[in-house]
Amino acid sequence: MEQRACRECDLIHEIPRLAVGATLRCRRCGAVLYRVRPNSIDRTLAWTFTGLILFGLALSFPFLALKTDVVSQQTSLLTGVSKLYAQQEGFLALVVLLTCVLIPLLQLFCLLYVFIPLKLNLRIRHARHVFRLFLQVKPWGMIEIYLLGILVAVVKLAKTATIVPGLAVLAFGLLVFSLTFAISSIDDHRVWDQLGDDR
Ligand SMILES: [Zn+2]
């Protein structure tokens, strides 16, 4: 059974299986320890699928305009990254690839890998490892990190490329919000409970 310390007074409690909507309070000081969020798996999955569609849009529409001496050419995020790399802008290509492609992709993958089987009541190998990986990556998926990545990208890009305001940028912005909502819908106590106790 999972244990959790009260945030106010540090008293350790065991967290039992609770009905949806139930709230567990600290025995000593009455602070809320844990609240069962209704439909958390459905909401997490809904936001994840929304994120997946937005991610596809962000990758397929023009995102960057790369300047050469004569022309300015619009390109998608992925071809933009490879062209930046080809223009000796390796660090910039890595920042854009990491913040705009790899981190959201990893988060979407982990969410789907853990939550589809949970929804279908299936046991799947390595789900606990994937969920732990997800919890470790989570801080790196915060909005500030994305914004920082984009800021660095924009500042560095000003020389060689600019970001094309359009559908891809809108989709990417909405993707960040979808991921944030997906993460905030997660009831990690319930997830661990359903994934099994041996962590
Ligand atoms: Zn307490």
Side-chain angles (χ1 to χ4, degrees), residues 105-124:
L105 189 65
L106 181 66
Q107 291 197 312
L108 288 169
F109 167 78
C110 290
L111 286 168
L112 293 174
Y113 191 90
V114 172
F115 283 89
I116 290 178
L118 278 186
K119 172 68 183 166
L120 301 174
N121 273 319
L122 296 172
R123 288 239 162 201
I124 184 160

Side-chain angles (χ1 to χ4, degrees), residues 98-166:
L98 211 60
T99 52
C100 297
V101 183
L102 294 183
I103 292 175
L105 189 65
L106 181 66
Q107 291 197 312
L108 288 169
F109 167 78
C110 290
L111 286 168
L112 293 174
Y113 191 90
V114 172
F115 283 89
I116 290 178
L118 278 186
K119 172 68 183 166
L120 301 174
N121 273 319
L122 296 172
R123 288 239 162 201
I124 184 160
R125 288 171 68 92
H126 306 305
R128 286 196 304 274
H129 296 113
V130 173
F131 190 56
R132 195 179 302 121
L133 171 72
F134 173 77
L135 293 178
Q136 281 164 357
V137 171
K138 203 167 77 170
W140 294 96
M142 307 283 269
I143 291 183
E144 304 89 76
I145 301 293
Y146 283 113
L147 291 183
L148 186 70
I150 290 172
L151 196 67
V152 170
V154 169
V155 170
K156 292 277 290 175
L157 276 169
K159 278 184 293 176
T160 48
T162 47
I163 290 187
V164 179

Side-chain angles (χ1 to χ4, degrees), residues 62-75 83 87 157-164:
F63 197 103
L64 302 170
L66 293 169
K67 287 178 222 146
T68 60
D69 292 337
V70 271
V71 284
S72 170
Q73 190 189 12
Q74 289 198 350
T75 158
K83 281 184 183 169
Q87 289 179 9
L157 276 169
K159 278 184 293 176
T160 48
T162 47
I163 290 187
V164 179

Side-chain angles (χ1 to χ4, degrees), residues 6-11 13 26-31:
C6 172
R7 255 174 286 184
E8 301 297 326
C9 71
D10 294 328
L11 184 65
H13 295 72
C26 175
R27 279 196 302 273
R28 186 153 67 192
C29 72

